[in-house]
Amino acid sequence: MEAEEEIVMTAAKRNGSAIMRLERVNHSEIDFKKVHHVAGGPYKGILINKAATDLNTVEASEGRLEFLAYMVDEDHNNEAIQDYWTLRFWFQGNADGMTKKKTFTDYFQELMNPTNFPKNYIGFIKKALVVLRSYPVIKRVDLEVNQTTEPPPEESLPPIKSFTTVFTPAVYTYQLLPEIPIQNKTFITFMLKAAGDAHIALSAVYSELERKTWEITIGAENNTKSTIKEGAMGQVKIEALTLNILTNDDFRYFWISWAENHIEVGRGAQYGYGRFLHWYVPPNKQFNVNCLGVSTDKVSRGQWEFAEILDPEEEFGKQARKKKLKKSLIWLAKKQRILQCLEDSYPNTIPVSNLLKLCKVKLADTTTAAVMLNDLQNKGFIKEVEKGFWMRIQSGGADTKDEVQIVKNIPRLTSQEQPTIAVITSLYCEKLAVDALIDNKTTFVKYKTEGESQVYSVGRIGRHKIVSTKLSKDASSPENSKISTENSVTRLLGTFSKVQHVFLVGVGGSVPDYDDASKHVRLGDIVVSLPPKERSCLYVHCQKVEHTVRTDEFKFNVKHWACADDSLQKVAEKIRKVTDSSSDTERPWDIYLEEASERLKAEESSFHRPFINTDRLYYTNPDGTVVEVQHPSGDTNYIEGRTNIRFGAISNGMNIAKDGKLRKTFARLYGIKAYDLDTDAILESLEGNRNESFLIIRGIADYADGSRKEWQPYSSMAAAAYMKTLIMAL
């Protein structure tokens, strides 16, 4: 709750009912002449008004819960009293229907928690006020209580009725209602108040209303007839004369059934009676109903009420809470999986059908998944760039001068604007880390729903013009990913023809040294492709491994790359000599690491350095036992948690990185300090495009090939910090 808001309670009587209104009111709007008590201490922020003769008329509520409560009157021989309670809810802000439904259900669940349930009316009202402070989305709650003479049920608890109210404007635009669960149902009942042209869509796919949809219209053509159509605004399959079936003055009950592929519509609260529409769906048109949408036309606005019966034990008991917690954790994991898939594909889009398949979302859960997609879109993480096609969205960063533009064509740059340095990344966190250290940048995203998209961020580091890009990954086809990588690099060098130097910045896996601490590479350290003088190759790709069983020897078929122009390697060597000469020498990458960390605070991924106890290294003994290795000590320059720079060749870890014996043998043979994935495809393209100057910088994320996600953001940031150090020294 914001500081200028207070929760004000006003009690009144209306038609024999007692009503307590709990409302958020701006401090400046409170009439203190009406205030009876201002709470303090733990209840600060709660005000109690004097009793009112009546409450101000407000708009219709957006949600409602009704239940029976049984009280014992200790002053009258423990006589049982039965009350009928109604809780009405209003909301503030732009929360969607799903959020509103969850909010008032959670509020009610916390209010009715049996572990601290109040013993009397006063305690109940006090708890309602205190709990409301934790739900800032709720603007107002009305608690209405009526005494009833109905006999209490002898065994089971009475059901709780939940009502969801939906308002539709006088415009033919569907409101999809994921908050009304219909997946495992075959009929719904509802109340409706409208002058005519009320539309209900029963659909198989969330937001897809043109196909696999049945549209029921009640009160069409000036409230004279009703119809069933195939698809929104589709062909009429059946119609019936229904004169004045709707009214704008009162609610009227209706029911709709789709059991056994028979679409039936009836009037009245009792399902199965008063049918006025019926259509049998032919076999080639049948589908499962998963979502619901409603609309009214230009004739009238509409007010809809959908009721749901909740079992107290099933909805609010201990097992229910465990079930909801488990479900929320599952969907949290699915949310991360959705983001991961879109980040891997970025800047390419993913059709929603493919996205749900990649994230293993069941058909019955498509509505919930669609709500999650919309929620992620509202938060600015993703975007539906075209109907059914989703893309991860890169923010402009902390600097307000930075911007992201989605364009059809990459703008032409003048000769003076052309960058001379290109930075290539493969992971989304790598791209964010690099861009955090580029000043005054503009990001251009050229997307296609079919084919390859491109993303280029153009800006400055020091006096140098920089362009950064990210390569898309296709998890389902490594071969397609390789082709896409080669094409993307060719397109990068073709679009920015003045690029002289290329940096490959990202994560990798360390080759640890168990004996010599000065050569040891730990998580968070940086490996730069600067091999010893006796070796000239910067990158070695293992194409094939042959093993001779008799001699237990390995033969490696490799391809390696080196630079004709060693300008970048010379600068790296110069920085190395300066920093190695004294432990007190300023380490610029530490400064840039802090700079990037500050700029990346608002990102969904955490770029903080993981705890040091997550840096675990294991070794398999000849007898098969696995033991944890104690990291070597003795390097006087080594400080715990400090980012150290190591130099050596880098290799592709696809074939050998996960085999301890292979990776150790290969590393010793070729002077390998780190393994990564897929870099050979980038180097193939650089070679084909006659690029003569490149450098590979890898932040260490694990002891394999860099695929450990926990350390990837921080290690990407460390690699980017060293990249900026080198560019500033060029």
Side-chain angles (χ1 to χ4, degrees), residues 464 501 503 528 530 566-579 647 695 722-730:
H464 297 279
H501 308 294
F503 287 87
V528 182
L530 186 67
D566 62 353
S567 303
L568 299 179
Q569 284 73 25
K570 285 180 178 178
V571 176
E573 183 63 44
K574 181 180 177 181
I575 295 171
R576 176 185 186 177
K577 288 178 180 178
V578 172
T579 53
F647 301 91
L695 189 73
Y722 185 83
M723 171 206 73
K724 181 166 182 176
T725 301
L726 201 146
I727 291 174
M728 294 295 285
L730 264 176

Side-chain angles (χ1 to χ4, degrees), residues 188-190 192 197-200 215-220 223-229 236-246 252-257 262-280 304:
I188 54 169
T189 59
F190 57 94
L192 173 60
D197 280 341
H199 307 281
I200 304 97
E215 182 181 62
I216 296 105
T217 303
I218 300 174
N223 204 14
T224 60
K225 68 178 184 179
S226 300
T227 64
I228 298 175
K229 297 178 182 176
V236 174
K237 294 299 179 181
I238 196 75
E239 63 179 49
L241 188 66
T242 53
L243 294 171
N244 299 321
I245 194 169
L246 293 175
R252 288 185 176 174
Y253 274 102
F254 295 93
W255 58 265
I256 299 173
S257 169
H262 288 265
I263 310 299
E264 298 178 284
V265 186
R267 180 176 172 181
Q270 192 169 358
Y271 164 60
Y273 292 87
R275 187 181 77 178
F276 57 86
L277 282 174
H278 172 238
W279 176 54
Y280 172 69
W304 311 67

Side-chain angles (χ1 to χ4, degrees), residues 160-301:
I160 300 163
K161 296 179 182 178
S162 173
F163 296 85
T164 302
T165 302
V166 179
F167 302 94
T168 51
V171 180
Y172 181 67
T173 302
Y174 270 101
Q175 289 190 35
L176 299 171
L177 306 178
E179 65 268 32
I180 312 299
I182 62 170
Q183 285 97 337
N184 302 319
K185 293 183 179 178
T186 56
F187 76 95
I188 54 169
T189 59
F190 57 94
M191 291 192 293
L192 173 60
K193 186 194 294 186
D197 280 341
H199 307 281
I200 304 97
L202 302 173
S203 180
V205 182
Y206 188 88
S207 80
E208 176 60 75
L209 300 179
E210 284 74 30
R211 59 189 187 88
K212 287 195 174 182
T213 298
W214 300 314
E215 182 181 62
I216 296 105
T217 303
I218 300 174
E221 296 185 13
N222 296 319
N223 204 14
T224 60
K225 68 178 184 179
S226 300
T227 64
I228 298 175
K229 297 178 182 176
E230 182 184 353
M233 298 291 289
Q235 182 182 0
V236 174
K237 294 299 179 181
I238 196 75
E239 63 179 49
L241 188 66
T242 53
L243 294 171
N244 299 321
I245 194 169
L246 293 175
T247 173
N248 214 16
D249 300 322
D250 299 300
F251 278 107
R252 288 185 176 174
Y253 274 102
F254 295 93
W255 58 265
I256 299 173
S257 169
W258 53 94
E260 298 180 351
N261 297 302
H262 288 265
I263 310 299
E264 298 178 284
V265 186
R267 180 176 172 181
Q270 192 169 358
Y271 164 60
Y273 292 87
R275 187 181 77 178
F276 57 86
L277 282 174
H278 172 238
W279 176 54
Y280 172 69
V281 184
N284 63 327
K285 302 288 185 181
Q286 294 173 4
F287 58 83
N288 293 325
V289 174
N290 292 310
C291 50
L292 171 72
V294 294
S295 171
T296 39
D297 220 323
K298 58 185 178 181
V299 172
S300 159
R301 294 179 298 173

Side-chain angles (χ1 to χ4, degrees), residues 25 112 339 485:
V25 182
M112 305 298 286
L339 278 175
T485 293

Side-chain angles (χ1 to χ4, degrees), residues 169 208 215 306 345 418 501 520 609:
E208 176 60 75
E215 182 181 62
F306 294 89
S345 180
Q418 282 280 350
H501 308 294
H520 186 53
R609 184 183 179 103

Side-chain angles (χ1 to χ4, degrees), residues 633-650:
S633 59
D635 184 358
T636 56
N637 290 329
Y638 194 90
I639 298 174
E640 195 72 68
R642 181 175 175 177
T643 299
N644 293 281
I645 313 299
R646 306 301 187 195
F647 301 91
I650 298 171

Side-chain angles (χ1 to χ4, degrees), residues 337-374:
R337 177 63 180 156
I338 287 171
L339 278 175
Q340 185 65 57
C341 288
L342 290 170
E343 287 176 1
D344 286 345
S345 180
Y346 180 76
N348 287 348
T349 60
I350 303 183
V352 67
S353 55
N354 290 2
L355 185 60
L356 298 183
K357 185 178 179 181
L358 286 169
C359 298
K360 298 180 180 179
V361 175
K362 297 176 182 177
L363 183 62
D365 292 331
T366 52
T367 301
T368 308
V371 171
M372 183 174 290
L373 285 171
N374 284 328

